[in-house]
Amino acid sequence: MKIAKYIFLLFLLLAFALFVFISTQPNSFTFQESKTINSNKEQVFLYVNDLSSWKNWWIPLNGTQETIKIDSAHVKYNGNTLQKLASFENDSIQFTITDANFNGNSTIIIKSIDNRQSEISWKLNGEVSFKTKFLAFLKGGMQNVLQSDIQQSFLNIENELQKKFLDYSITLNGFETKNAVTYIAIADSTSTTSFDEKRKQNLKKLGEFITKRDLTINGDPFVIFKSRNKESYKYLSCIPVTAVLDSISIDSTMTKGRFDSYLALKTTLKGSFTNRANAWEEAKKSIEKSNYKENKDGLYIEVYKKESKQSPATNVTEIYIPVRKPIIVNEPKKDSLQPTETIQDSI
């Protein structure tokens, strides 16, 4: 009995000593973790700065039993609160975390590596509870307490960005008639890197003009390319309207026109506009493999069916490349001297 009593007292002494040791450890902590992500700086910032996205990637929100409440500046979950204090475009986001285990000030910093990769860093410092200090003691420090959750959160960000920004598909819809359209347009030329920004500005100006003049839009916005190469485009930014051309009075910066229906290969790109070149390349290759011929005097058009800055992988773009009808081959009928016309399959 005495030995058991001594062991119990020794255990109490060690437990008290451990309690004192942990209690005297600093209440403050500093943490930092970084990861290289296969998305550019702008995409990472746009996604992380949107607090509504946090439920998809931030580990503390995974599997929460209570309702998550999110607005533009707060995330509330299980009695805890994250508050965004400030964000600096394409650079960093500052916020506080009020948690049962610690209160901290935090910054997410995003640095560009190249146009396809960026580095995301999470800096966190604050005050911890005794429970958290005890957990840190068992795991060898606060870095080890937080590291696995932050690393998994970074991996979740990368996976979500893949779905939102990078995933895409190209569908060759086949040869069909592009219907006639009456439109109002702005002529422009720009580098390929500035094209999307410039055409959006033009389409916005056209939309405001059409609304002001009380005209009726008759379809999706589109671009007619006058010339295309790897460095630059000459094009018309167009919005289709229901109107007689002579009845439309336009600004000096605009033009109006109409094209008749024509035969074209239709290709659909679902995904970011950054994959546009791949879609054009596949479309042209399919024409080369067919009996159709590209009509270089015709109209090369992109139609913008859906655009989303928040989720570019859901964008839908239709590409129309003008073609001429397939060559008709005359072959004699069997057991007949009379020729017959046969048209070979298109693709």
Side-chain angles (χ1 to χ4, degrees), residues 267-311:
T267 302
T268 301
L269 167 66
K270 183 178 180 182
S272 170
F273 296 130
T274 57
N275 301 298
R276 177 189 289 114
N278 294 337
W280 279 86
E281 183 180 359
E282 285 199 25
K284 292 204 170 194
K285 284 181 179 179
S286 72
I287 295 174
E288 292 173 0
K289 293 177 181 178
S290 75
N291 293 316
Y292 287 76
K293 297 295 181 183
E294 187 175 338
N295 179 10
K296 296 186 178 180
D297 295 325
L299 298 180
Y300 294 77
I301 290 178
E302 280 186 353
V303 181
Y304 307 105
K305 305 290 290 184
K306 180 180 179 181
E307 292 192 52
S308 171
K309 185 178 181 181
Q310 297 294 331
S311 186

Side-chain angles (χ1 to χ4, degrees), residues 25-42:
Q25 294 303 300
N27 292 326
S28 61
F29 72 95
T30 299
F31 167 86
Q32 181 171 347
E33 186 70 18
S34 300
K35 177 177 172 58
T36 298
I37 289 181
N38 291 318
S39 289
N40 66 43
K41 180 179 180 180
E42 290 76 16

